[in-house]
Amino acid sequence: MRQDVHKSIRETVLGRDTTDGSLLAVGASATLLVATIVSFLVRPVFALPIAGAFCFVTALGWATYQAEIARFLTLVATVLTVLTVAFITYFLFASAYPAFSEHGLGLVLVPMQDGQVRWFFWLESVLPTGETYWNPLSGAFSLIPMIWATVVVTLIAGAVAGPLGLFGALFIAEVASDGLREVIKPGVEVLAGIPSIVYGFIGFQVLNGFIQTAFLDDGASFLIAGVVVGIMALPTVVSVGEDALSSVPDTMGDGSIAMGATKWQTMQSISIPAAFSGISAGVILGLGRAIGETMAVAAIMASGTQFADPLFDIFDANATLTSLIATQYGSASESTLEVLFVAGVMLFVIVAGMSVLSLSIERRMRAKLRGQA
């Protein structure tokens, strides 16, 4: 049993065809990598020289045993990625646990003046005028206004990114010529590289004056934040949607056209239904970015912590979960910082759940196109 385990580990790291030289090269690289990590944790001053030795030995081994060293490096990169995610997850939940244990459901409920809490949207008395929801100095730590603001901004962003992303993906995949497609698609993907603070600043400067003039409003609002974040999510929706539409077999569309259907009828009846799972995955990924967006929202909206009045007023504004963290953590006390970690846990769970859902939908689409489902 022990020999089988040792053989399995050796094949995973080095592959099946190994030599003593490749084992020595990989072993030396692994030893120096472990020494670098230990040195960084215990005596950081020695970490850089040991890391340099690791790079030298790895480069030397690459020149002689490239396949084995490459296999080892890919394994190391994978393990480090998984460990990094695991450590971040542990640190996030561990830092939020004290606030969970102290405040409990009070973090997501509406506080009452007698110190009790009640569920959100429980008759009209749930939202008393002037109620304090977030005031660390007085011990009020309800995140429900920020959760509501996050929901509103995300819905507006979805209303912008969903339709525009779908039609953009349809144009690139089904309508545009090859030359035009080679220009438009990279241009759309470049939008994803623009810093979010730039989106926020430009959106505030451009849309703020328009909202003030056209709607006689003060300016910064859920509407502006949602539109800007929706535009930021567009590259993801367009790119994933276009990939999904391009993966639909050409024979399906050709058969529809051969039967007399127009190009639009083919897209409507064949392309979109066949690629619907991939398009949905793109929208979900885009909304995941919208939920987790910070700087653009913080640059546009005020850091208020009260509900909009009325709740559906998209021209009102208050902090979202992300902008609350961005604006509060610098001067936060220890107890407030723990509550901000709770907000981070909420965002982490929501975005991670949406990512898993999008992967599941995309896997379902691939299976469907292969005739497996």
Side-chain angles (χ1 to χ4, degrees), residues 76-91:
V76 168
T78 303
V79 171
L80 290 180
T81 300
V82 173
L83 288 178
T84 300
V85 174
F87 284 140
I88 291 175
T89 303
Y90 171 78
F91 178 78

Side-chain angles (χ1 to χ4, degrees), residues 71-155:
R71 191 182 184 92
F72 167 71
L73 291 178
T74 55
L75 176 63
V76 168
T78 303
V79 171
L80 290 180
T81 300
V82 173
L83 288 178
T84 300
V85 174
F87 284 140
I88 291 175
T89 303
Y90 171 78
F91 178 78
L92 189 62
F93 279 83
S95 300
Y97 177 76
F100 275 122
S101 61
E102 179 178 355
H103 301 286
L105 290 177
L107 293 170
V108 293
L109 302 180
V110 177
M112 306 299 290
Q113 293 181 353
D114 59 0
Q116 302 296 319
V117 293
R118 295 182 60 180
W119 287 105
F120 187 41
F121 288 138
W122 183 261
L123 304 180
E124 296 179 355
S125 60
V126 171
L127 301 175
T129 304
E131 186 72 31
T132 300
Y133 302 96
W134 177 269
N135 188 354
L137 296 178
S138 62
F141 292 105
S142 177
L143 295 171
I144 197 67
M146 283 63 76
I147 295 174
W148 176 250
T150 303
V151 170
V152 173
V153 171
T154 302
L155 290 176

